[in-house]
């Protein structure tokens, strides 16, 4: 993506202002040499996929949250001062929270993978004054 001072306002910019900002026009598009130059400078127009995490790792990562660590510390303190009911209650809440968080994260990962699989594989673009079909990243 082209870095500008308005990176956070692309969604509210007018088409005309974007054409000016990106130095292109809708009738002629970009030349092949300009596409190559921009790809060399900014990199390819693609989403960077990360290696999917296993459900076990997702569960482990749930215990890295600050509030979870605070609750675990509270459970330890509660156990040390002789309050087993409070200790068990806190641990049950922490475990339920971790399981629910893991399930939600796992479902979100699957949904993202499904959306990526459904994404268009090609795109029509204007290059050198004509419409062509290119691979969509």
């Amino acid at each position: 993506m082209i870095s500008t001072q308005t990176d956070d306002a692309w969604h509210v910019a007018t088409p005309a202002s974007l054409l000016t900002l990106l130095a292109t026009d809708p009738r002629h598009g970009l030349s092949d040499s300009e596409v190559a130059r921009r790809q060399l400078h900014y990199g390819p127009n693609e989403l960077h996929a990360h290696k999917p995490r296993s459900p076990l790792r997702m569960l482990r990562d749930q215990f890295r949250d600050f509030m979870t660590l605070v609750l675990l510390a509270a459970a330890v303190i509660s156990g040390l001062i002789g309050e087993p009911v409070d200790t068990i209650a806190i641990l049950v809440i922490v475990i339920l929270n971790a399981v629910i968080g893991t399930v939600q994260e796992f479902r979100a990962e699957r949904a993202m993978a499904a959306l990526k699989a459904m994404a268009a594989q090609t795109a029509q673009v204007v290059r050198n004054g004509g419409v062509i079909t290119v691979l969509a990243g």
Side-chain angles (χ1 to χ4, degrees):
M1 184 164 82
I2 295 181
S3 179
T4 67
Q5 296 171 339
T6 60
D7 275 345
D8 57 350
W10 288 90
H11 65 288
V12 295
T14 65
S17 67
L18 289 175
L19 289 170
T20 301
L21 185 65
L22 298 173
T24 188
D25 100 35
R27 293 177 309 249
H28 299 101
L30 298 174
S31 67
D32 291 335
S33 62
E34 180 62 12
V35 170
R37 185 191 72 75
R38 290 183 185 194
Q39 285 179 341
L40 185 64
H41 185 267
Y42 299 108
N45 185 21
E46 62 185 20
L47 296 174
H48 297 285
H50 62 282
K51 183 180 173 186
R53 293 184 304 156
S54 71
L56 190 60
R57 181 164 179 202
M58 289 179 196
L59 179 64
R60 184 195 71 191
D61 289 346
Q62 294 295 318
F63 292 97
R64 291 184 173 185
D65 179 63
F66 177 73
M67 285 308 297
T68 301
L69 295 174
V70 168
L71 286 171
L72 288 173
V76 168
I77 292 169
S78 181
L80 290 174
I81 63 172
E83 296 290 338
V85 174
D86 291 345
T87 303
I88 291 170
I90 294 170
L91 290 175
V92 166
I93 290 169
V94 168
I95 291 168
L96 281 174
N97 181 61
V99 169
I100 291 169
T102 300
V103 169
Q104 288 178 327
E105 193 171 339
F106 182 73
R107 287 180 180 169
E109 292 268 340
R110 284 195 337 204
M112 288 299 293
L115 286 172
K116 186 174 181 181
M118 291 175 19
Q121 300 299 310
T122 59
Q124 290 189 331
V125 297
V126 179
R127 294 280 188 269
N128 302 312
V131 177
I132 64 169
T133 301
V134 297
L135 291 175

